[in-house]
mmCIF file of all heavy atoms in Angstrom:
data_model
loop_
_atom_site.group_PDB
_atom_site.id
_atom_site.type_symbol
_atom_site.label_atom_id
_atom_site.label_comp_id
_atom_site.label_asym_id
_atom_site.label_seq_id
_atom_site.Cartn_x
_atom_site.Cartn_y
_atom_site.Cartn_z
ATOM 1 N N ARG A 44 32.938 122.093 -131.842
ATOM 2 C CA ARG A 44 32.392 120.759 -131.641
ATOM 3 C C ARG A 44 32.206 120.099 -132.996
ATOM 4 O O ARG A 44 32.013 120.766 -134.002
ATOM 5 C CB ARG A 44 31.030 120.845 -130.939
ATOM 6 C CG ARG A 44 31.109 121.123 -129.467
ATOM 7 C CD ARG A 44 29.762 121.650 -128.992
ATOM 8 N NE ARG A 44 28.678 120.787 -129.474
ATOM 9 C CZ ARG A 44 28.012 119.922 -128.709
ATOM 10 N NH1 ARG A 44 28.307 119.815 -127.449
ATOM 11 N NH2 ARG A 44 27.037 119.200 -129.205
ATOM 12 N N PHE A 45 32.241 118.759 -133.012
ATOM 13 C CA PHE A 45 32.178 118.033 -134.287
ATOM 14 C C PHE A 45 30.881 118.331 -135.024
ATOM 15 O O PHE A 45 30.840 118.378 -136.244
ATOM 16 C CB PHE A 45 32.314 116.538 -134.027
ATOM 17 C CG PHE A 45 32.353 115.733 -135.295
ATOM 18 C CD1 PHE A 45 33.530 115.672 -136.039
ATOM 19 C CD2 PHE A 45 31.232 115.061 -135.756
ATOM 20 C CE1 PHE A 45 33.572 114.941 -137.220
ATOM 21 C CE2 PHE A 45 31.270 114.341 -136.927
ATOM 22 C CZ PHE A 45 32.435 114.272 -137.658
ATOM 23 N N ASP A 46 29.801 118.532 -134.285
ATOM 24 C CA ASP A 46 28.500 118.701 -134.930
ATOM 25 C C ASP A 46 28.115 120.169 -135.098
ATOM 26 O O ASP A 46 26.988 120.487 -135.417
ATOM 27 C CB ASP A 46 27.412 117.960 -134.143
ATOM 28 C CG ASP A 46 27.348 118.410 -132.688
ATOM 29 O OD1 ASP A 46 28.210 119.210 -132.282
ATOM 30 O OD2 ASP A 46 26.446 117.969 -131.978
ATOM 31 N N GLU A 47 29.088 121.041 -134.893
ATOM 32 C CA GLU A 47 28.811 122.462 -135.072
ATOM 33 C C GLU A 47 29.547 122.998 -136.292
ATOM 34 O O GLU A 47 30.701 122.660 -136.517
ATOM 35 C CB GLU A 47 29.279 123.272 -133.853
ATOM 36 C CG GLU A 47 28.276 123.240 -132.717
ATOM 37 C CD GLU A 47 28.742 124.106 -131.549
ATOM 38 O OE1 GLU A 47 29.921 124.501 -131.531
ATOM 39 O OE2 GLU A 47 27.928 124.366 -130.672
ATOM 40 N N THR A 48 28.867 123.828 -137.060
ATOM 41 C CA THR A 48 29.516 124.482 -138.188
ATOM 42 C C THR A 48 29.584 125.976 -137.890
ATOM 43 O O THR A 48 28.556 126.615 -137.707
ATOM 44 C CB THR A 48 28.717 124.269 -139.489
ATOM 45 O OG1 THR A 48 28.639 122.877 -139.745
ATOM 46 C CG2 THR A 48 29.402 124.961 -140.641
ATOM 47 N N PRO A 49 30.793 126.520 -137.812
ATOM 48 C CA PRO A 49 30.932 127.929 -137.476
ATOM 49 C C PRO A 49 30.572 128.821 -138.654
ATOM 50 O O PRO A 49 30.566 128.385 -139.797
ATOM 51 C CB PRO A 49 32.420 128.065 -137.149
ATOM 52 C CG PRO A 49 33.069 127.004 -137.986
ATOM 53 C CD PRO A 49 32.082 125.867 -138.033
ATOM 54 N N ALA A 50 30.274 130.070 -138.355
ATOM 55 C CA ALA A 50 30.031 131.037 -139.416
ATOM 56 C C ALA A 50 31.364 131.551 -139.933
ATOM 57 O O ALA A 50 32.356 131.608 -139.210
ATOM 58 C CB ALA A 50 29.190 132.193 -138.881
ATOM 59 N N CYS A 51 31.390 131.931 -141.204
ATOM 60 C CA CYS A 51 32.612 132.442 -141.811
ATOM 61 C C CYS A 51 32.976 133.801 -141.197
ATOM 62 O O CYS A 51 32.142 134.700 -141.162
ATOM 63 C CB CYS A 51 32.400 132.594 -143.317
ATOM 64 S SG CYS A 51 33.752 133.459 -144.141
ATOM 65 N N PRO A 52 34.207 133.943 -140.696
ATOM 66 C CA PRO A 52 34.624 135.224 -140.123
ATOM 67 C C PRO A 52 34.838 136.285 -141.192
ATOM 68 O O PRO A 52 34.926 137.473 -140.890
ATOM 69 C CB PRO A 52 35.940 134.884 -139.407
ATOM 70 C CG PRO A 52 36.466 133.696 -140.135
ATOM 71 C CD PRO A 52 35.267 132.920 -140.613
ATOM 72 N N GLY A 53 34.923 135.862 -142.450
ATOM 73 C CA GLY A 53 35.142 136.823 -143.529
ATOM 74 C C GLY A 53 33.860 137.492 -143.985
ATOM 75 O O GLY A 53 33.790 138.711 -144.132
ATOM 76 N N CYS A 54 32.801 136.676 -144.216
ATOM 77 C CA CYS A 54 31.561 137.226 -144.761
ATOM 78 C C CYS A 54 30.370 136.948 -143.859
ATOM 79 O O CYS A 54 29.278 137.440 -144.094
ATOM 80 C CB CYS A 54 31.301 136.650 -146.153
ATOM 81 S SG CYS A 54 30.917 134.890 -146.145
ATOM 82 N N GLY A 55 30.582 136.147 -142.803
ATOM 83 C CA GLY A 55 29.492 135.862 -141.890
ATOM 84 C C GLY A 55 28.554 134.777 -142.390
ATOM 85 O O GLY A 55 27.566 134.470 -141.749
ATOM 86 N N GLY A 56 28.871 134.196 -143.535
ATOM 87 C CA GLY A 56 28.008 133.172 -144.119
ATOM 88 C C GLY A 56 28.156 131.840 -143.413
ATOM 89 O O GLY A 56 29.119 131.596 -142.681
ATOM 90 N N ALA A 57 27.203 130.965 -143.652
ATOM 91 C CA ALA A 57 27.216 129.654 -143.003
ATOM 92 C C ALA A 57 27.591 128.542 -143.974
ATOM 93 O O ALA A 57 27.544 127.378 -143.617
ATOM 94 C CB ALA A 57 25.839 129.375 -142.408
ATOM 95 N N HIS A 58 27.965 128.908 -145.196
ATOM 96 C CA HIS A 58 28.300 127.891 -146.195
ATOM 97 C C HIS A 58 29.787 127.541 -146.130
ATOM 98 O O HIS A 58 30.539 127.787 -147.065
ATOM 99 C CB HIS A 58 27.929 128.384 -147.602
ATOM 100 C CG HIS A 58 26.472 128.712 -147.746
ATOM 101 N ND1 HIS A 58 26.006 129.808 -148.455
ATOM 102 C CD2 HIS A 58 25.369 128.094 -147.243
ATOM 103 C CE1 HIS A 58 24.672 129.834 -148.393
ATOM 104 N NE2 HIS A 58 24.275 128.814 -147.664
ATOM 105 N N VAL A 59 30.196 126.978 -144.986
ATOM 106 C CA VAL A 59 31.595 126.626 -144.816
ATOM 107 C C VAL A 59 31.746 125.114 -144.839
ATOM 108 O O VAL A 59 30.858 124.374 -144.423
ATOM 109 C CB VAL A 59 32.161 127.197 -143.499
ATOM 110 C CG1 VAL A 59 32.152 128.714 -143.550
ATOM 111 C CG2 VAL A 59 31.383 126.694 -142.302
ATOM 112 N N GLU A 60 32.879 124.658 -145.355
ATOM 113 C CA GLU A 60 33.171 123.228 -145.406
ATOM 114 C C GLU A 60 34.374 122.927 -144.533
ATOM 115 O O GLU A 60 35.381 123.628 -144.581
ATOM 116 C CB GLU A 60 33.498 122.806 -146.848
ATOM 117 C CG GLU A 60 32.277 122.594 -147.708
ATOM 118 C CD GLU A 60 32.667 122.038 -149.077
ATOM 119 O OE1 GLU A 60 33.871 121.878 -149.329
ATOM 120 O OE2 GLU A 60 31.756 121.785 -149.875
ATOM 121 N N ARG A 61 34.276 121.857 -143.755
ATOM 122 C CA ARG A 61 35.420 121.446 -142.947
ATOM 123 C C ARG A 61 36.494 120.825 -143.840
ATOM 124 O O ARG A 61 36.196 120.015 -144.709
ATOM 125 C CB ARG A 61 34.965 120.431 -141.890
ATOM 126 C CG ARG A 61 36.097 119.992 -140.982
ATOM 127 C CD ARG A 61 35.604 119.041 -139.910
ATOM 128 N NE ARG A 61 34.724 119.719 -138.965
ATOM 129 C CZ ARG A 61 33.574 119.210 -138.536
ATOM 130 N NH1 ARG A 61 33.175 118.057 -138.973
ATOM 131 N NH2 ARG A 61 32.840 119.873 -137.685
ATOM 132 N N GLN A 62 37.734 121.222 -143.634
ATOM 133 C CA GLN A 62 38.840 120.683 -144.424
ATOM 134 C C GLN A 62 39.493 119.546 -143.647
ATOM 135 O O GLN A 62 40.311 119.763 -142.771
ATOM 136 C CB GLN A 62 39.864 121.786 -144.710
ATOM 137 C CG GLN A 62 39.256 123.010 -145.378
ATOM 138 C CD GLN A 62 38.738 122.698 -146.774
ATOM 139 O OE1 GLN A 62 39.499 122.399 -147.675
ATOM 140 N NE2 GLN A 62 37.420 122.774 -146.950
ATOM 141 N N LEU A 63 39.103 118.317 -143.967
ATOM 142 C CA LEU A 63 39.559 117.162 -143.197
ATOM 143 C C LEU A 63 41.065 116.959 -143.290
ATOM 144 O O LEU A 63 41.690 116.475 -142.363
ATOM 145 C CB LEU A 63 38.850 115.903 -143.700
ATOM 146 C CG LEU A 63 37.343 115.887 -143.461
ATOM 147 C CD1 LEU A 63 36.734 114.636 -144.083
ATOM 148 C CD2 LEU A 63 37.043 115.912 -141.967
ATOM 149 N N SER A 64 41.654 117.341 -144.404
ATOM 150 C CA SER A 64 43.068 117.030 -144.628
ATOM 151 C C SER A 64 43.984 117.875 -143.756
ATOM 152 O O SER A 64 45.160 117.579 -143.640
ATOM 153 C CB SER A 64 43.423 117.242 -146.094
ATOM 154 O OG SER A 64 43.206 118.589 -146.452
ATOM 155 N N LEU A 65 43.473 118.930 -143.156
ATOM 156 C CA LEU A 65 44.336 119.833 -142.417
ATOM 157 C C LEU A 65 44.289 119.596 -140.911
ATOM 158 O O LEU A 65 44.956 120.268 -140.162
ATOM 159 C CB LEU A 65 43.919 121.290 -142.692
ATOM 160 C CG LEU A 65 44.104 121.731 -144.149
ATOM 161 C CD1 LEU A 65 43.708 123.188 -144.289
ATOM 162 C CD2 LEU A 65 45.540 121.530 -144.597
#
Side-chain angles (χ1 to χ4, degrees):
R44 283 161 49 105
F45 184 78
D46 56 354
E47 278 183 347
T48 300
C51 171
C54 68
H58 301 140
V59 295
E60 280 186 358
R61 182 177 292 135
Q62 305 294 293
L63 294 176
S64 61
L65 296 182

